[in-house]
Amino acid sequence: MGNIMSSSFAPECTELKQTYDDCFNKWYSEEFLKGQGKHETNPCLKQWTLYSQCVAEHLTQDKDLKGALDQARGEAPFEAGGELISNNK
């Protein structure tokens, strides 16, 4: 397990993150940087989906982190198409 950047915030998801990172880094270095990376679909979508599902599952189990994220989203909502997304709508 290389450097700290290869670890997931949820240790249970680290292996899935590494699998995704390996796929992405291979695509980026062997295709994208050589001008061959124009895909209609993401070649690493399966790995990303598995990793993001794992993170989402463990995020909901960390009540302190989830509470902090919910508060931050309320204070500075994300934008969608130039419109602010607000929980007050």
Side-chain angles (χ1 to χ4, degrees), residues 16-35:
L16 292 170
K17 181 183 183 302
Q18 289 175 338
T19 300
Y20 168 73
D21 287 348
D22 290 345
C23 179
F24 176 84
N25 289 332
K26 180 178 180 181
W27 167 79
Y28 187 77
S29 64
E30 295 178 11
E31 295 181 39
F32 182 79
L33 290 178
K34 295 177 181 176

Side-chain angles (χ1 to χ4, degrees), residues 58-79:
H58 288 88
L59 177 63
T60 60
Q61 294 173 6
D62 187 333
K63 301 300 181 196
D64 292 335
L65 181 57
K66 183 169 181 349
L69 287 173
D70 289 344
Q71 180 180 352
R73 287 181 182 126
E75 293 172 0
F78 292 108
E79 291 186 33

Side-chain angles (χ1 to χ4, degrees), residues 73-75 77 84-89:
R73 287 181 182 126
E75 293 172 0
L84 284 178
I85 297 174
S86 174
N87 295 334
N88 297 330
K89 287 185 177 180

Side-chain angles (χ1 to χ4, degrees), residues 8-14 16 50-67 69:
S8 176
F9 95 92
E12 302 86 350
C13 303
T14 296
L16 292 170
L50 291 172
Y51 172 59
S52 63
Q53 288 171 342
C54 183
V55 168
E57 177 183 330
H58 288 88
L59 177 63
T60 60
Q61 294 173 6
D62 187 333
K63 301 300 181 196
D64 292 335
L65 181 57
K66 183 169 181 349
L69 287 173

